[in-house]
Amino acid sequence: MILLQVNQLTKNFGADNILSNIKLEIQTRDRVALVGRNGAGKSTLLKIIAGHLSYDSGEITKPKGVSIGYLAQNTGLESELSIWSEMLTVFEELKQQEKKLRLLEQQMADPSVYEQEDVYQRVLKEYDQLQVNFKDSGGYQYEADIRSVLHGLNFADFDYETKISTLSGGQKTRLALGKLLLTKPDILILDEPTNHLDIETLSWLETYLQSYEGAVLIVSHDRYFLDSVVNQVYEISRNRSKKYLGNYSRYLEQKAEDYEKDLKMFERQQQEVAKLEDFIQRNIARASTTKMAQSRRKKLERMDRMDRPLGDEKSASFAFQIDRPSGNDVLHVQDLSIGYGKNDTISSHIDFSVKKGDSIALVGPNGIGKSTLLKTLVNKLQPQDGTFKFGSNVTISYYDQEQAELSSNKSVLNELWDEYPMKMEKEIRTVLGNFLFSGEDVLKPVSTLSGGEKARLALSKLMMEKGNVLILDEPTNHLDLDSKEVLENALIDYPGTILFVSHDRYFINRIATKVVELSKKGSTEYLGDYDYYVEKLQQQEELAALERMEQGEQSHEPTQKRSHKIDKEAKKLERQRKRRVEEIEGLMESLETNIQEKEDLLCDPDIFQDHEKVQDINESLTKAKEELDSLLEEWTELEELLQEEQ
């Protein structure tokens, strides 16, 4: 069923055209992402669809009765009620039905009613109808739904009688999201819903949205989240929209494929045009060929000329360099306690080491002290207990997620130039140009910049410092998806050491060589990226669950026997992995033979002269190599796990 259609929609702000001829369709169970550069008009389109903003032309149609729920960026829930009372307001109609049911029950117990058969039957009929409607509307489970959503959004440890007005901005934002989820609109519109969510809460939200009964329309810069949730992508670029089927990764593939295809078609047409024009020029004056030339001229005039396909819009371009390398031992943290003041300890017993070339992600729930730890390491806060020590020749460059130091009334140009006064203005402008500040943009006051612009300016300052250790607190916040990719590539090529905090799991996967998890008990190190970290957690949970089951069901058995069963389960898992390794090795051997045969075919004169055969062989060759790479990656991971278990 079609829930919403947007057709030929246009929006202007003064003389600036923001959206042109936008088309979009949402059906039941669709999971739609809107993507595009910062400033492309994504949030504007969401506000228009939600009815919070007018539009200049076009139309938006939806069937009568279709409900829309909208949550803007960083929208906090402002209320004087308690957490529980505010969530209950969503179910006011059900509460009224419940009161009516209790009233009818009292009437049915009244002798003056049940002694009159006709009156009693009328009340009984009304009660039955209301009870069915109450049940179908979720009347017997709405309190459980509230608890489930609050638990998923990390409010499980809160007193539900806590006044919302006493909570932080991030907590209010999560409650606003929770309240909207409980309303269960037909179309759920979310603008950057992953802000203020830790990784555990993000995973819960992904699962919730995957099973959501209605449709979902999302703007998000979290690629891991988009890949997990959406099945359609609408790109807003150069004021227009284009639809792609699949998740975000599939959208990127299709976009690249479409560009290559369109470019080839354009070049082919250009060649045809050139041939026609050349023929006309050479033959139009000859009596014997003038008719043919005129015929080709008409063909040329009738031809629907293609425009050269536009590539990606300009992206930031930068690289991080170092002045001199650090020593091999970069940082040693021992039994460190952190917090604000002497009596406000946030986290303690933190132990980890950083070696030259490491790229370490700090993860853990919100409020556990990740940003506090970074501020302690850069001497913005004093440690409460324990020690940390940097190695020789360490020079630190620190990125603050709050960008607190970028609030001056200086121009963008002077903000950077004042710190490097010996540089020529042209050099400073070149650096700023690499971060998409060009022309008059460099004269804007820093205080008026958007979050994304401040992030790019902060990164430009970081690049100029040339420190050999980067300490980064949420570096991808406020960056659009293209800028994130540029940052990732720059960090992957960075020759120094990185310690960072991020909620962007895709970013962690690309950058991290090690994960340090902070918890109330201290810190735990995991050698690998985010997916490896999650896998190890799952293994720990499985073994813990197995041990709890053994203790609960067979507590009378000796400890040695329970331990034997746990060990048996672990060995079973090890055998499965070994079998899979053997299977992969066989598949890889077969693929390598297949690849060699195809490469030999390409050297055959009878083959390489047949362009269609060459194309078919190249396509199958590419597919085989991709499959081989995928198997090799899986084989490597399994081998590492088997070595750890030995």
Side-chain angles (χ1 to χ4, degrees):
M1 173 184 171
I2 295 176
L3 299 178
L4 181 95
Q5 282 184 315
V6 177
N7 193 32
Q8 303 296 327
L9 186 138
T10 300
K11 175 66 179 176
N12 300 303
F13 284 121
D16 295 329
N17 178 233
I18 306 300
L19 300 168
S20 296
N21 301 319
I22 298 295
K23 292 182 179 180
L24 184 144
E25 181 178 284
I26 299 175
Q27 299 192 30
T28 306
R29 298 285 300 171
D30 277 353
R31 304 287 184 268
V32 181
L34 276 185
V35 303
R37 292 291 179 81
N38 285 346
K42 304 185 297 295
S43 295
T44 300
L45 181 56
L46 293 190
K47 289 175 184 175
I48 291 171
I49 293 172
H52 291 207
L53 200 62
S54 64
Y55 52 96
D56 297 312
S57 63
E59 60 180 2
I60 298 176
T61 57
K62 65 181 178 70
K64 189 177 180 180
V66 169
S67 58
I68 293 178
Y70 168 65
L71 185 69
Q73 287 188 49
N74 303 317
T75 301
L77 189 59
E78 299 299 335
S79 172
E80 294 301 318
L81 297 175
S82 68
I83 295 173
W84 185 257
S85 297
E86 184 63 35
M87 296 300 110
L88 278 177
T89 61
V90 173
F91 304 100
E92 193 58 43
E93 187 177 337
L94 284 176
K95 288 172 68 183
Q96 294 302 321
Q97 289 183 21
E98 195 170 15
K99 286 181 181 177
K100 186 70 183 294
L101 284 171
R102 301 293 85 82
L103 182 62
L104 290 172
E105 287 168 356
Q106 289 175 10
Q107 289 180 12
M108 288 188 294
D110 187 345
S112 64
V113 173
Y114 68 70
E115 288 177 356
Q116 299 182 56
E117 185 64 24
D118 57 335
V119 176
Y120 180 74
Q121 289 300 324
R122 178 170 50 78
V123 173
L124 183 61
K125 184 178 179 182
E126 184 182 0
Y127 180 81
D128 287 343
Q129 289 175 342
L130 184 60
Q131 189 178 43
V132 169
N133 185 57
F134 182 71
K135 180 183 178 183
D136 291 345
S137 302
Y140 293 109
Q141 66 180 58
Y142 68 85
E143 290 193 355
D145 288 345
I146 293 174
R147 289 190 180 90
S148 174
V149 167
L150 289 176
H151 188 276
L153 291 173
N154 212 10
F155 285 97
D157 297 332
F158 276 67
D159 181 352
Y160 290 165
E161 294 307 312
T162 303
K163 295 284 187 183
I164 291 173
S165 56
T166 65
L167 300 177
S168 69
Q171 290 164 342
K172 288 178 180 178
T173 300
R174 281 188 280 132
L175 281 179
L177 173 61
K179 186 176 178 182
L180 181 61
L181 295 179
L182 288 169
T183 63
K184 297 180 181 177
D186 297 312
I187 303 175
L188 185 62
I189 301 178
L190 303 173
D191 193 355
E192 294 292 355
T194 61
N195 289 353
H196 305 289
L197 301 185
D198 58 29
I199 289 175
E200 184 180 353
T201 310
L202 275 172
S203 299
W204 174 85
L205 181 60
E206 285 168 1
T207 304
Y208 185 94
L209 293 179
Q210 285 163 2
S211 58
Y212 187 71
E213 290 299 320
V216 183
L217 177 61
I218 303 170
V219 167
S220 177
H221 289 156
D222 188 324
R223 294 152 296 182
Y224 203 102
F225 178 77
L226 291 179
D227 272 349
S228 298
V229 174
V230 308
N231 54 29
Q232 294 177 36
V233 173
Y234 279 84
E235 181 189 51
I236 308 293
S237 178
R238 299 181 175 92
N239 307 334
R240 298 176 180 272
S241 63
K242 185 173 181 181
K243 180 181 179 180
Y244 297 85
L245 294 177
N247 63 11
Y248 181 77
S249 293
R250 181 62 189 132
Y251 145 73
L252 290 178
E253 293 170 4
Q254 290 178 77
K255 186 179 176 183
E257 290 166 4
D258 288 352
Y259 175 74
E260 290 298 323
K261 182 176 68 177
D262 291 345
L263 185 60
K264 285 178 182 176
M265 288 175 65
F266 171 77
E267 289 172 346
R268 195 178 301 127
Q269 188 185 65
Q270 289 299 105
Q271 290 172 0
E272 185 181 357
V273 168
K275 286 179 182 177
L276 289 170
E277 288 175 341
D278 180 59
F279 184 90
I280 293 165
Q281 187 177 0
R282 285 189 292 105
N283 294 283
I284 194 69
R286 291 184 192 170
S288 60
T289 58
T290 186
K291 284 188 177 180
M292 287 190 291
Q294 288 171 350
S295 173
R296 279 163 174 73
R297 178 182 283 170
K298 287 180 182 178
K299 181 180 179 181
L300 195 60
E301 289 169 353
R302 290 194 302 268
M303 186 179 289
D304 186 11
R305 298 282 189 103
M306 294 176 63
D307 294 325
R308 174 178 283 277
L310 297 169
D312 286 340
E313 296 170 83
K314 187 180 178 185
S315 297
S317 173
F318 55 91
F320 295 107
Q321 302 296 333
I322 61 175
D323 272 335
R324 59 175 183 170
S326 68
N328 190 50
D329 294 319
V330 171
L331 172 65
H332 184 63
V333 178
Q334 187 170 11
D335 201 25
L336 187 66
S337 295
I338 56 174
Y340 295 85
K342 291 184 178 179
N343 301 318
D344 185 12
T345 301
I346 295 175
S347 189
S348 55
H349 306 301
I350 302 171
D351 295 277
F352 65 94
S353 295
V354 182
K355 299 290 185 183
K356 178 183 173 183
D358 279 350
S359 184
I360 298 179
L362 289 174
V363 302
N366 283 347
I368 203 64
K370 302 185 294 296
S371 295
T372 306
L373 174 57
L374 296 190
K375 287 177 181 176
T376 304
L377 295 177
V378 297
N379 295 320
K380 288 183 177 288
L381 292 172
Q382 291 298 313
Q384 293 186 333
D385 201 2
T387 60
F388 68 89
K389 184 179 180 182
F390 285 98
S392 60
N393 296 328
V394 167
T395 53
I396 297 170
S397 292
Y398 172 61
Y399 179 95
D400 180 6
Q401 68 160 316
E402 297 169 359
Q403 297 153 351
E405 296 168 13
L406 289 180
S407 57
S408 72
N409 288 319
K410 293 180 183 178
S411 68
V412 170
L413 179 64
N414 288 334
E415 179 70 27
L416 190 58
W417 201 3
D418 286 355
E419 294 196 16
Y420 300 94
M422 302 305 292
K423 299 282 186 183
M424 300 291 288
E425 181 179 352
K426 184 180 177 182
E427 290 181 75
I428 300 297
R429 281 181 174 269
T430 299
V431 170
L432 290 172
N434 290 338
F435 288 85
L436 304 183
F437 293 104
S438 58
E440 297 298 312
D441 291 341
V442 301
L443 302 179
K444 287 181 181 178
V446 172
S447 57
T448 65
L449 297 180
S450 68
E453 289 171 327
K454 283 186 177 181
R456 284 189 273 117
L457 180 55
L459 287 170
S460 73
K461 296 176 78 171
L462 198 74
M463 187 195 80
M464 295 287 283
E465 291 175 9
K466 296 187 177 180
N468 55 35
V469 175
L470 296 180
I471 295 183
L472 312 173
D473 192 1
E474 295 289 358
T476 62
N477 275 8
H478 307 295
L479 293 180
D480 58 37
L481 291 163
D482 290 330
S483 297
K484 283 185 179 183
E485 187 171 351
V486 172
L487 174 61
E488 286 162 8
N489 292 334
L491 292 175
I492 288 169
D493 294 336
Y494 174 62
T497 305
I498 307 170
L499 177 63
F500 69 97
V501 169
S502 179
H503 288 150
D504 188 329
R505 294 156 295 173
Y506 189 97
F507 180 79
I508 298 173
N509 263 344
R510 287 203 71 192
I511 304 301
T513 58
K514 187 191 294 185
V515 173
V516 174
E517 180 190 46
L518 293 187
S519 66
K520 292 179 181 178
K521 297 178 181 178
S523 60
T524 310
E525 293 186 38
Y526 297 86
L527 295 173
D529 60 12
Y530 175 76
D531 284 343
Y532 175 78
Y533 157 70
V534 170
E535 185 181 345
K536 295 301 287 184
L537 287 184
Q538 288 173 344
Q539 289 175 7
Q540 291 169 11
E541 288 171 5
E542 287 169 6
L543 289 173
L546 181 64
E547 189 170 359
R548 285 195 301 272
M549 182 184 71
E550 295 294 334
Q551 290 173 347
E553 293 181 2
Q554 302 177 14
S555 56
H556 60 280
E557 290 186 8
T559 303
Q560 187 176 359
K561 191 172 182 180
R562 291 200 304 273
S563 177
H564 171 72
K565 288 198 172 184
I566 294 169
D567 189 46
K568 186 178 178 183
E569 189 69 25
K571 286 182 178 177
K572 180 183 176 183
L573 187 61
E574 184 182 355
R575 286 196 301 274
Q576 289 173 346
R577 284 177 177 148
K578 284 181 177 178
R579 281 198 298 271
R580 179 58 181 161
V581 165
E582 291 171 3
E583 183 184 354
I584 289 172
E585 287 171 347
L587 290 169
M588 286 168 63
E589 188 176 342
S590 175
L591 277 170
E592 285 168 349
T593 304
N594 192 6
I595 288 167
Q596 186 60 53
E597 288 172 355
K598 284 181 169 57
E599 287 176 340
D600 291 343
L601 279 174
L602 290 174
C603 298
D604 187 333
D606 293 333
I607 298 292
F608 69 65
Q609 290 177 6
D610 188 330
H611 297 301
E612 288 187 3
K613 283 186 178 178
V614 168
Q615 186 176 351
D616 290 342
I617 292 171
N618 275 326
E619 285 177 0
S620 60
L621 194 59
T622 301
K623 190 175 179 182
K625 286 181 177 179
E626 287 174 354
E627 191 177 344
L628 182 63
D629 288 343
S630 177
L631 287 169
L632 183 59
E633 188 176 339
E634 186 183 353
W635 180 87
T636 304
E637 289 175 358
L638 288 170
E639 279 291 315
E640 287 176 357
L641 289 170
L642 288 169
Q643 286 175 12
E644 288 173 9
E645 288 165 356
Q646 288 174 357

